[in-house]
Amino acid sequence: MLQTGAYDILFEPVQVGPVTAPNRFYQVPHACGMGHLRPQAHTAMRATKAAGGWGVVCTEETEIHPSSDLSPYSEQRLWDERDIPALALMAEAVKAQGSLAGIELVHNGHMADNLYSRIPPLAPLDVQLDSAYPKMARAMDKQDIRDLRAWHRRAARNAKAAGFDIVYVYAGHNMTITQHFLLPRYNQRSDEYGGSLENRARLIRELLEETKEEIGDSCAVALRLAVDEMRGEDGMQAHEEGRAVVEHLAALPDLWDVNVSDWPNDTLSSRFGPDEGYETDLISFVKATTGKPTVGVGRFTSPDLMVRLIRQGVLDFIGAARPSIADPYLPNKIAEGRIDAIRECIGCNICASCDALGVPIRCTQNPTMGEEWRRGWNPEHIAPKASDSTVLVVGGGPAGLECALQLGRRGYRVTLAEASGEFGGRALRESRLKGLSAWRRVVDNRIYELRQMANVALYTDSALSAEDVGEFGCDHVFLATGAAWRSDGTGRSHHFPLDCDDAMPLFTPDDIMAGRLPEGPVVVYDDDHGYMGGVIADHLAESGLRVTFVSTASVVSPFTVYTLEQERVQRALVSAGIELSLSTSVAAVGPDSVTIEGVYGGARADLACSALVMVSARTPDRTLEHALGQYAGAPTFEVVGDALSPGLIADATFSGHLAARNFEAGREQAEAALFRREMPAVPSSSRSDTP
Ligand code: ADP
Ligand code: SF4
């Protein structure tokens, strides 16, 4: 049925303990902000990946007991039998597509605050919780360890009852108690669980043995292990203890899922890492050492590299979280020889941000991610056109490109007009900044698709006025005209323009992206708190300018905490020699200095500089909308993307996609399709139960 040719090897079945995966594409466990609170959304999202060809599809981490309660984050939960039905829903849906379903059991130790359960957290030692919550986890005694093993065994039994094929013991990401037992900095016990490597690995060994004993007849048992913590001598290193642990446990798991720790190192953003295969050198010894099926990750999207890794004996499975999020149909596209149609992950980590934000996952590249159940969206299918209407999309940034693409796929006759000489808008502009080159993929993928469509006409160098639109004579217009950064200092702290001396050269990120660089020394003022302020400062420093970074936030680029980058962002600025002035606001701007003041008080000071870059707020470009509103011959129109509400690129692609899906759906239908919600089950007698 499928033409695979050079990539045949990727579609070979692989035996894992008592089960067989249909191919080598393996969606490793990854967070998705759905978890136990949103079982139907979770099921539909995972099932979409199975439909797209992923031979193994796993859950996110699954708490085994209320003493590992990650609230307010919504991960999976298998505290007891009552959690089986929600998980069975997912296992069944994945297996119905012919894939294997995996579940990652976890006890998070002192990474779980137990805010909902209020149980004192557990750890190998008395230790401060990892969060800001001022509480300690208590050192486990022998009975606690016996209890933990019993909870894990029960969870494994329940996982099997829920229908899972692969059951994990999880020791990675610095988020699991098993890994904490392994690491001397968390485990200084003097009993048989501390000291030697054999002792520190004892808990993992016991959990593996007991899981196999409990369910190993019909389920494969996987170990997810971080073999290197990327902390040098301060942590586990792949060529030292990491290898020793693998050798010690080699024969036990049916499958090794190996990576590096902690989460920001494993889910490394493209801003701070190479495109593909960045973990390979550190994990490549595992398969040779254990002889067991091995899965590894590294933001793989190139089938040639995948084939090479299999042939070289490095991996048996191509593991993926982000590539499976950006393109749930990646395996099928390879199978069908449609390599150019793969929607490649850009490594922006917006998907990861949703876990910490406690909302369903979303993706810059794939606007349907997280919307499979609540909006019924599929990345590869969209309703055909409802009429023969002709459509004009004005603006070729991420919103306009996505809108035109989906309208084109629906079969409408679409014209996309872009004012500048190139398509891409902000995605193209931002990709020219330091570290963001991979973001260009937002443009490349869409332009490639659009160029295949006979019903879509693409025009650059076409700045349209209301008259142009009227004369063009289409039935409907989507205005994706974007937004511009403000230069007047209006932002989070200043709700009115700053008092700026005319002699001070003012710049915005748009100037820097257009290659208009200031002459230094320069102050970058961040009152936006997204990624842009830090990127601009880093970019200017690399251009040879002396930079002072002033921000009203208490850390550099606070939003990047959610994308797992904040520590790297701040370190990058420090190592570039950029002076940081945090929790500081710009009060006034003179001809050759800015006056700064502490957000929490303190004396004002003057900072000498030759230029000021404002990274504060954006103004939606609604010029054309207003003009069309005045223009008698205007067709119907609507605004999408940053022109509607400036945000992330992910917001823009989503907005363009949503508008294209809803086009001519009818108001009632569009409202009904707003989204479905998962409602808590409320027993009819609950009112009388309320005290
Ligand atoms: P979004 O993120 O919403 O897609 P962008 O700022 O990335 O927004 O893209 C908006 C694009 O719209 C820019 O490339 C800009 O050149 C283009 N544009 C703005 N006004 C017009 C216009 N009147 N005619 C054609 N293109 C326009
Ligand atoms: Fe990749 Fe960004 Fe999508 Fe995550 S949100 S899968 S990092 S493109």
Side-chain angles (χ1 to χ4, degrees):
M1 169 185 75
L2 299 171
Q3 301 297 311
T4 57
Y7 306 124
D8 278 351
I9 197 169
L10 300 175
F11 297 91
E12 292 172 350
V14 182
Q15 178 86 28
V16 187
V19 298
T20 304
N23 61 37
R24 297 181 185 273
F25 292 95
Y26 194 115
Q27 183 245 275
V28 295
H30 74 74
C32 64
M34 290 165 171
H36 65 277
L37 293 178
R38 303 173 179 109
Q40 297 181 89
H42 177 249
T43 294
M45 184 270 285
R46 304 287 185 197
T48 301
K49 297 198 196 186
W54 295 89
V56 180
V57 179
C58 299
T59 62
E60 62 269 57
E61 57 182 336
T62 304
E63 305 160 358
I64 58 168
H65 187 261
S67 61
S68 178
D69 157 31
L70 288 165
S71 304
Y73 311 113
S74 180
E75 314 299 336
Q76 289 300 341
R77 211 160 249 188
L78 193 42
W79 288 0
D80 58 43
E81 289 69 14
R82 287 170 296 177
D83 297 307
I84 292 175
L87 284 160
L89 208 59
M90 177 237 162
E92 276 163 26
V94 165
K95 287 162 65 162
Q97 303 286 347
S99 306
L100 297 182
I103 181 166
E104 184 184 49
L105 303 182
V106 69
H107 195 292
N108 298 95
H110 71 277
M111 296 288 148
D113 292 355
N114 297 346
L115 292 173
Y116 174 62
S117 67
R118 305 191 72 174
I119 294 176
L122 299 171
L125 287 183
D126 291 317
V127 65
Q128 205 83 31
L129 291 182
D130 189 61
S131 69
Y133 194 68
K135 187 168 177 164
M136 306 272 302
R138 70 176 175 81
M140 295 167 79
D141 62 20
K142 295 286 181 52
Q143 186 55 47
D144 292 322
I145 295 177
R146 280 192 290 276
D147 288 346
L148 174 76
R149 289 165 52 195
W151 301 332
H152 201 280
R153 186 187 274 272
R154 182 185 59 188
R157 193 165 58 241
N158 287 339
K160 176 180 168 178
F164 286 94
D165 306 291
I166 301 177
V167 177
Y168 271 72
V169 174
Y170 178 22
H173 291 136
N174 197 24
M175 297 196 292
T176 62
I177 205 163
T178 42
Q179 189 187 13
H180 300 149
F181 266 88
L182 208 49
L183 301 172
R185 73 173 180 282
Y186 294 122
N187 180 357
Q188 291 134 39
R189 298 173 72 100
S190 54
D191 61 7
E192 67 269 34
Y193 286 92
S196 68
L197 184 140
E198 193 186 357
N199 283 356
R200 284 180 279 119
R202 187 178 303 280
L203 181 61
I204 299 182
R205 169 180 282 280
E206 288 170 342
L207 295 186
L208 284 169
E209 286 170 348
E210 288 160 6
T211 306
K212 284 196 90 162
E213 192 180 288
E214 191 66 35
I215 55 155
D217 58 329
S218 57
C219 300
V221 177
L223 174 60
R224 194 180 207 191
L225 180 77
V227 294
D228 199 300
E229 291 189 272
M230 314 294 283
R231 300 166 61 103
E233 290 178 357
D234 291 341
M236 181 169 285
Q237 299 187 79
H239 63 278
E240 292 186 340
E241 273 217 329
R243 177 183 282 270
V245 176
V246 172
E247 285 169 356
H248 179 62
L249 299 170
L252 284 177
D254 297 313
L255 177 119
W256 285 81
D257 178 343
V258 279
N259 59 15
V260 298
S261 183
D262 49 7
W263 192 20
N265 286 325
D266 189 25
T267 302
L268 183 63
S269 72
S270 58
R271 185 172 165 188
F272 295 104
D275 266 357
E276 285 188 63
Y278 50 86
E279 301 188 23
T280 307
D281 288 348
L282 291 167
I283 58 148
S284 57
F285 72 94
V286 176
K287 179 173 160 54
T289 306
T290 65
K292 293 291 182 70
T294 302
V295 54
V297 293
R299 218 153 55 73
F300 296 122
T301 51
S302 149
D304 292 319
L305 176 61
M306 297 175 191
V307 168
R308 212 160 50 241
L309 291 171
I310 306 288
R311 287 204 194 288
Q312 287 171 348
V314 176
L315 297 175
D316 297 279
F317 287 106
I318 302 304
R322 289 172 293 174
S324 75
I325 294 166
D327 198 338
Y329 281 68
L330 180 149
N332 283 1
K333 288 179 182 175
I334 296 175
E336 292 157 9
R338 297 194 299 129
I339 312 300
D340 288 334
I342 293 173
R343 215 175 12 252
E344 290 183 297
C345 165
I346 68 165
C348 62
N349 283 3
I350 293 305
C351 49
S353 74
C354 300
D355 181 59
L357 292 165
V359 293
I361 190 167
R362 64 214 55 191
C363 170
T364 303
Q365 279 288 61
N366 172 15
T368 68
M369 178 48 49
E371 306 295 341
E372 299 83 357
W373 179 80
R374 68 176 190 173
R375 284 190 166 90
W377 290 1
N378 176 285
E380 301 304 310
H381 308 299
I382 191 163
K385 64 181 183 177
S387 75
D388 288 329
S389 297
T390 54
V391 186
L392 172 65
V393 179
V394 183
L401 286 170
E402 178 66 19
C403 188
L405 176 61
Q406 300 308 330
L407 290 164
R409 290 175 71 202
R410 292 188 64 186
Y412 286 103
R413 270 208 295 132
V414 182
T415 302
L416 174 61
E418 161 58 38
S420 72
E422 277 182 281
F423 289 108
R426 63 177 287 194
L428 185 68
R429 292 196 296 273
E430 292 181 27
S431 74
R432 293 179 180 133
L433 294 171
K434 188 182 171 196
L436 302 187
S437 59
W439 292 21
R440 219 198 126 89
R441 290 174 165 182
V442 171
V443 189
D444 295 342
N445 169 263
R446 290 174 172 81
I447 287 291
Y448 170 82
E449 296 274 340
L450 283 162
R451 292 215 164 110
Q452 316 296 310
M453 296 177 174
N455 55 327
V456 176
L458 303 172
Y459 296 97
T460 52
D461 301 302
S462 304
L464 302 189
S465 63
E467 289 73 19
D468 295 331
V469 171
E471 282 166 21
F472 183 74
C474 60
D475 296 309
H476 190 75
V477 187
F478 292 90
L479 300 171
T481 47
W485 287 92
R486 299 178 71 120
S487 62
D488 64 2
T490 303
R492 285 178 187 275
S493 336
H494 295 281
H495 299 284
F496 298 101
L498 267 171
D499 179 17
C500 294
D501 191 293
D502 288 343
M504 172 64 79
L506 297 179
F507 291 80
T508 69
D510 291 324
D511 294 313
I512 313 301
M513 290 187 274
R516 288 189 293 276
L517 298 193
E519 289 178 8
V522 60
V523 167
V524 174
Y525 176 45
D526 180 18
D527 196 28
D528 166 61
H529 301 185
Y531 56 86
M532 187 55 85
V535 173
I536 291 288
D538 205 7
H539 186 82
L540 292 179
E542 195 177 60
S543 312
L545 295 176
R546 191 149 69 76
V547 179
T548 304
F549 182 80
V550 176
S551 176
T552 45
S554 56
V555 294
V556 177
S557 304
F559 174 75
T560 60
V561 167
Y562 300 121
T563 53
L564 313 176
E565 296 172 293
Q566 197 281 325
E567 202 179 311
R568 279 194 167 85
V569 172
Q570 193 147 339
R571 279 182 193 282
L573 266 56
V574 170
S575 79
I578 296 169
E579 203 172 309
L580 303 182
S581 193
L582 301 172
S583 300
T584 303
S585 163
V586 169
V589 180
D592 49 16
S593 68
V594 296
T595 305
I596 55 172
E597 62 183 355
V599 167
Y600 305 108
R604 286 186 169 200
D606 286 336
L607 209 56
C609 61
S610 314
L612 173 61
V613 184
M614 299 280 199
V615 187
S616 52
R618 283 175 281 174
T619 307
D621 182 350
R622 302 180 83 159
T623 327
L624 188 52
E625 182 200 4
H626 294 144
L628 282 174
Q630 310 292 317
Y631 186 69
T636 55
F637 58 87
E638 66 188 278
V639 183
V640 298
D642 286 314
L644 186 61
S645 164
L648 296 167
I649 296 178
D651 296 318
T653 52
F654 176 79
S655 172
H657 190 101
L658 178 71
R661 288 245 179 201
N662 282 349
F663 180 52
E664 296 190 326
R667 175 167 284 277
E668 242 171 65
Q669 208 180 326
E671 269 171 24
L674 236 187
F675 56 81
R676 291 194 281 173
R677 289 190 293 147
E678 303 200 42
M679 308 305 291
V682 181
S684 51
S685 60
S686 67
R687 210 178 297 164
S688 57
D689 290 346
T690 309

